[in-house]
């Protein structure tokens, strides 16, 4: 039963070694990820920034075209019901508030007064009789001056 000082069938206990606990260094910290995201955001802003501003200007021009079409539709409906377009003294506000002497007025033809402002915050210009039709409806664009090209051009109903 004893062979060289060891009991038969008995195994010696495994040796335990104390390993010092090491901090895990794999992966990224939250701070490192945030720094990378900020850098990517800055690169994207530098690369895409000019294109965004170009589209912003174009969007205002396109929005003014849509607004002119909407106001023109409301003017046509006003004419069908009242029998005439609003007089120049009444202006486009006749589409929102009933003017004196418009007995068949069945408005409002537009819901908000802000609809009568172009995307640059200026009132649309309404002239009756118009030089290009029964009435002229237009905005002078970004530069607020007649003529121009690109974003500065006039947007009209003719």
């Amino acid at each position: 039963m004893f062979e060289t000082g060891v009991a038969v069938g008995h195994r010696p206990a495994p040796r335990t070694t104390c390993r010092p606990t090491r901090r895990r260094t794999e992966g990224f910290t939250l701070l490192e990820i945030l720094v990378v995201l900020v850098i990517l955001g800055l690169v994207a802003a530098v690369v895409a920034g000019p294109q965004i501003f170009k589209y912003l200007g174009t969007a205002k021009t396109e929005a003014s075209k849509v607004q002119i079409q909407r106001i023109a539709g409301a003017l046509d409906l006003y004419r069908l019901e009242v029998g005439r377009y609003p007089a120049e003294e009444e202006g486009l506000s006749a589409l929102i508030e009933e003017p004196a002497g418009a007995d068949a007025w069945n408005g409002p033809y537009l819901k908000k007064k802000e609809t009568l402002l172009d995307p640059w915050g200026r009132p649309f210009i309404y002239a009756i009789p118009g030089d290009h039709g029964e009435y002229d409806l237009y905005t002078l664009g970004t530069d607020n001056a007649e003529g121009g090209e690109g974003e500065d051009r006039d947007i009209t109903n003719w």
Side-chain angles (χ1 to χ4, degrees):
M1 301 127 300
F2 286 102
E3 292 179 17
T4 63
V6 177
V8 177
H10 182 322
R11 293 186 184 172
R15 264 175 133 174
T16 58
T17 58
C18 289
R19 286 188 176 181
T21 56
R22 288 189 337 182
R23 204 169 133 209
R24 216 174 153 163
T25 58
E26 295 102 23
F28 298 105
T29 66
L30 180 60
L31 183 61
E32 291 169 327
I33 292 172
L34 289 174
V35 168
V36 169
L37 288 174
V38 167
I39 292 170
L40 287 174
L42 291 172
V43 168
V46 168
V47 172
Q51 290 297 323
I52 291 171
F53 289 121
K54 175 184 166 188
Y55 289 122
L56 180 62
T58 304
K60 285 187 174 186
T61 301
E62 293 303 314
S64 65
K65 288 179 186 177
V66 170
Q67 280 181 275
I68 285 176
Q69 290 174 351
R70 186 172 182 196
I71 294 170
L75 284 167
D76 291 340
L77 184 58
Y78 180 97
R79 180 179 178 221
L80 283 173
E81 292 183 353
V82 177
R84 60 174 175 81
Y85 288 112
E88 198 159 342
E89 309 82 52
E90 297 168 336
L92 295 175
S93 62
L95 299 173
I96 296 173
E97 298 169 355
E98 182 176 2
D103 298 329
W105 191 85
N106 195 23
Y109 300 96
L110 296 171
K111 291 183 180 182
K112 298 180 182 177
K113 281 192 174 218
E114 293 81 29
T115 309
L116 303 177
L117 299 176
D118 68 14
W120 300 278
R122 299 183 302 261
F124 282 99
I125 300 167
Y126 172 68
I128 187 164
D131 294 331
H132 305 280
E134 292 185 71
Y135 64 88
D136 290 347
L137 180 62
Y138 61 100
T139 181
L140 298 175
T142 304
D143 64 353
N144 198 27
E146 289 193 21
E149 293 181 17
E151 294 176 34
D152 293 337
R153 70 186 161 100
D154 303 343
I155 295 97
T156 67
N157 71 322
W158 61 87

